[in-house]
Amino acid sequence: MAEILLDTAVRGSIIALLAVGLTMVQGTLRFANVAHVEFATLGSYAVVVLTGTGLGLLPSSVLGVAVVAVISV
């Protein structure tokens, strides 16, 4: 049960962080720019693919961030 609660808290905090970012962009620009949500999704897919190739979670996360940073620039 504790694992379920921890996983729920982690996933909820990720969604809350994305929602706060979207709200800040909406409040500043008066335009709902959802690009950062798309990059978060792309990063999570990159981490899943890299983890599936045999890399650990930490190296996959670092490479996933690097991949999204290169794509976003």
Side-chain angles (χ1 to χ4, degrees):
M1 184 69 177
E3 183 179 346
I4 293 172
L5 291 175
L6 181 65
D7 188 47
T8 303
V10 168
R11 290 176 191 258
S13 64
I14 291 170
I15 292 171
L17 184 64
L18 292 171
V20 167
L22 183 62
T23 303
M24 288 175 58
V25 170
Q26 170 71 28
T28 304
L29 300 177
R30 303 279 187 227
F31 177 73
N33 186 1
V34 294
H36 68 283
V37 178
E38 293 174 5
F39 287 129
T41 304
L42 183 63
S44 62
Y45 279 128
V47 170
V48 167
V49 168
L50 290 170
T51 305
T53 62
L55 283 171
L57 184 60
L58 186 61
S60 296
S61 299
V62 171
L63 285 174
V65 168
V67 165
V68 172
V70 167
I71 291 173
S72 68
V73 170

